[in-house]
Amino acid sequence: MKTKLFLLAGLGLSFLAVPALAQDAAPQPSAVPDPETADPRGDFAIVGAGAGILPNYEGSDDYGFSPVPAAIGQLEGFRFTFLGNRLSVDLIRDGYGPTVDIQAGPIGVIGFNRTSADAIDDPQVALLEERNTAIELGGYVGIGKTGVLTSDYDRLSATISYRYDVAGAHDSGILTPTLAYTTPLSTKALVGLFLSAERVENGYGDAYFSVSAAESLRSGLPVFDADGGWKNYTIGFAGAHSLTGDLTGGLQMVVGGTYRRLLGDFSASPVTAIAGSPHQWLGTVGLAYSF
């Protein structure tokens, strides 16, 4: 596979958040749900798959296609989210309708960044040492408000997560704040915008953006010692349109795109500045089914 699943996290809000929030946001065509009689812990599931176009590695200017599997569900008010290489669970039960809800729970990510030279098109970066698979475990907290600006069903949420590599790939942590807004245009269409950033510790910068003397001799890239710090910011959009039924049940087409800008040492590193680009584009299109 040319592309790397670690970048699928950047596609998460583009692909999965739209049908997930549609479950919260869109009323049934016949009537607006009554919060007094509705079951706030109703079970549901949304499954989907799509095709994403994304860089070969973080910082690359070569692109390829990758499948994007996804699923979200709620059981007795507890919500889980799966996207490619990422799994999270909200351990605080959600409310129903216009409300404020608190989110908190565990998160896990498997990182495949530069684990295979065969997946890298750039000949110089392909000569750098392969990295181990990262297993990043941690948690997140957040707050969301449904019924903000346009209706009782638009939603604004803010979350922050922290995870740490426990597999020895980079032996460091990643902090990720995210702000997202979605609004239904009708019972069949919904759009969303989001902004996020990542701050990483020194081990991450050293593992993926430094170039050692031995690697420099082998690849021709200059020696570089990357430190931690704010790695990137990301802005994106997402949209969904029902093909059958409405946003709360049936088949939906989902599209999305993100722009990610690498910063600091992560932009100045030879794997980015010489062999790649600090401007990272990601896009996806897929189908999701709600039931």
Side-chain angles (χ1 to χ4, degrees), residues 130-223:
E130 294 179 346
R131 287 359 186 194
N132 295 327
T133 299
I135 300 177
E136 298 161 359
L137 302 178
Y140 73 99
V141 295
I143 186 170
K145 174 69 169 70
T146 303
V148 182
L149 296 174
T150 61
S151 71
D152 287 343
Y153 300 97
D154 68 337
R155 181 176 176 85
L156 179 67
S157 66
T159 61
I160 187 166
S161 69
Y162 179 83
R163 59 188 194 269
Y164 192 92
D165 170 42
V166 298
H170 57 82
D171 286 320
S172 59
I174 303 171
L175 183 73
T176 307
T178 301
L179 183 68
Y181 175 75
T182 59
T183 182
L185 304 178
S186 69
T187 59
K188 290 181 173 290
L190 182 144
V191 294
L193 300 171
F194 68 91
L195 173 67
S196 68
E198 287 185 311
R199 184 176 180 86
V200 301
E201 297 171 359
N202 287 342
Y204 189 100
D206 193 47
Y208 301 119
F209 292 90
S210 291
V211 178
S212 68
E215 289 176 318
S216 175
L217 185 63
R218 201 163 53 240
S219 68
L221 294 173
V223 173

